[in-house]
Amino acid sequence: AGSAESFEDRLALVLTMLGLGMLGTAGILLADEVRAMRQRARDALVRPQWLEATADLLNGLTPARLLLLMSGFVLFLAVHVSR
């Protein structure tokens, strides 16, 4: 079996493992986000207008989406370093 002997190989391996870990965590957070959105949709029989405007602002960049973007960037770095 091969081993990562150069610095670039080791760095690519570390970045790949970090990116995959972040991707797995983002999947869990996205599933929780979907569950919460479905629960809110069931509970939203009558909502005040100000609450609707606030909910639209909060639906943009969530921690799960940010983590998903960051994991993609880290995996891109791993590919770039391994060249």
Side-chain angles (χ1 to χ4, degrees):
S3 63
E5 294 187 16
S6 69
F7 175 75
E8 290 84 9
D9 292 342
R10 290 179 183 161
L11 183 61
L13 186 61
V14 167
L15 288 174
T16 301
M17 296 307 296
L18 178 65
L20 289 176
M22 289 170 64
L23 191 62
T25 305
I28 293 169
L29 288 175
L30 280 171
D32 188 50
E33 182 181 325
V34 168
R35 183 197 56 79
M37 289 176 73
R38 287 182 180 170
Q39 183 67 32
R40 271 189 304 213
R42 274 184 255 144
D43 293 343
L45 296 176
V46 177
R47 265 198 246 191
Q49 187 64 28
W50 64 270
L51 185 61
E52 190 69 35
T54 306
D56 288 340
L57 290 175
L58 296 177
N59 284 337
L61 188 61
T62 62
R65 294 174 190 169
L66 184 63
L67 191 59
L68 186 63
L69 287 173
M70 292 303 296
S71 67
F73 180 71
V74 169
L75 288 173
F76 170 76
L77 284 178
V79 169
H80 183 70
V81 166
S82 67
R83 287 185 176 194

